[in-house]
Amino acid sequence: MKLICIGRNYVDHINELNNERPEEPVVFIKPDSAILPKEQDFYIPEFSNDVHYEVEVLVKIKKVGKHISKEFAHKYYDEVGLGIDFTARDLQSKLKSKGLPWEKAKGFDGAAVVGKWLPKDQFKDLDHMDFSLTKNGEVVQEGNTSLMLWKIDEIIAHVSTYFMLKKGDIIFTGTPAGVGKVSPNDYLVGALEGERMFDINVR
């Protein structure tokens, strides 16, 4: 399985990092080894002094598909969730400044938090879901999927043009504004439509 991630999918996050607004989804991939094992703490890697949290709505692919049209994309997933795309921002900035790929800043061990999964039928409208991340009891990120530049089904259609989607693949749909640094002893909690989806201790 693979973790397919979408960057720059919320205008406010694009602006806070002074990035250009893309004409199509920005796509990158994390290896499956990036998934933080359940019940395990997140350890800040030694090679970074500036690891950021990025909370994101997740989608789990349920069957094989390629060149999927937007109209049929909803048939390829039954579950949604919430997670974190941990990013070594200092390393990413260094690599980007040299025009180099930045997988090392996004795909390191433990860099992908995958919370619990919920049936999509539980939600009234997947394109209007509230989600949030709190750090040490303070809300640091709030978003709503209505603010995505590209909605879930559009993402699936776009990504499947380039990569065959397989059962178990996970799509990270992008993060809203509010990303920030984690420090040892931080405690992160993610919620989707008011339901607690994960909690993480930072070491």
Side-chain angles (χ1 to χ4, degrees), residues 86-97:
F86 278 120
T87 304
R89 192 73 70 201
D90 48 358
L91 179 57
Q92 183 189 37
S93 297
K94 179 180 178 181
L95 293 167
K96 284 173 67 176
S97 70

Side-chain angles (χ1 to χ4, degrees), residues 19-152:
N19 286 323
E20 291 184 12
R21 179 169 174 160
E23 296 181 0
E24 62 180 40
V26 174
V27 180
F28 61 95
I29 290 180
K30 291 178 182 261
D32 59 1
S33 55
I35 295 178
L36 184 69
K38 298 290 185 186
E39 310 301 326
Q40 183 170 306
D41 295 342
F42 173 74
Y43 286 83
I44 298 171
E46 294 181 357
F47 54 76
S48 177
N49 294 311
D50 193 24
V51 172
H52 284 202
Y53 52 78
E54 298 186 6
V55 70
E56 312 199 10
V57 171
L58 311 183
V59 178
K60 185 194 289 184
I61 299 301
K62 71 172 187 176
K63 62 180 180 179
V64 172
K66 187 169 175 61
H67 295 292
I68 302 164
S69 68
K70 176 186 170 185
E71 292 71 26
F72 293 105
H74 69 277
K75 296 178 179 291
Y76 286 81
Y77 62 99
D78 286 333
E79 296 175 292
V80 296
L82 198 70
I84 296 177
D85 166 19
F86 278 120
T87 304
R89 192 73 70 201
D90 48 358
L91 179 57
Q92 183 189 37
S93 297
K94 179 180 178 181
L95 293 167
K96 284 173 67 176
S97 70
K98 297 180 179 180
L100 297 172
W102 26 268
E103 275 83 354
K104 288 189 287 187
K106 289 276 194 178
F108 58 88
D109 293 350
V113 172
V114 177
K116 68 180 180 181
W117 295 100
L118 298 174
K120 68 177 183 181
D121 295 342
Q122 177 176 323
F123 302 95
K124 192 177 297 183
D125 186 352
L126 297 181
D127 291 336
H128 287 83
M129 295 190 296
D130 288 318
F131 61 101
S132 66
L133 182 73
T134 62
K135 183 176 78 168
N136 305 326
E138 176 186 353
V139 176
V140 289
Q141 282 190 278
E142 290 182 287
N144 186 286
T145 52
S146 65
L147 300 175
M148 287 180 173
L149 293 176
W150 291 278
K151 304 298 191 289
I152 292 172

Side-chain angles (χ1 to χ4, degrees), residues 167-180:
K167 183 178 181 180
D169 287 351
I170 297 173
I171 298 178
F172 282 65
T173 61
T175 195
V179 301

Side-chain angles (χ1 to χ4, degrees), residues 144-198:
N144 186 286
T145 52
S146 65
L147 300 175
M148 287 180 173
L149 293 176
W150 291 278
K151 304 298 191 289
I152 292 172
D153 290 352
E154 293 174 299
I155 291 170
I156 289 173
H158 178 79
V159 167
S160 69
T161 302
Y162 300 92
F163 309 110
M164 178 183 292
L165 297 179
K166 294 186 175 182
K167 183 178 181 180
D169 287 351
I170 297 173
I171 298 178
F172 282 65
T173 61
T175 195
V179 301
K181 182 178 180 177
V182 293
S183 301
N185 301 315
D186 280 346
Y187 179 58
L188 307 175
V189 178
L192 178 63
E193 284 290 299
E195 183 161 348
R196 189 182 183 116
M197 302 295 285
F198 63 77

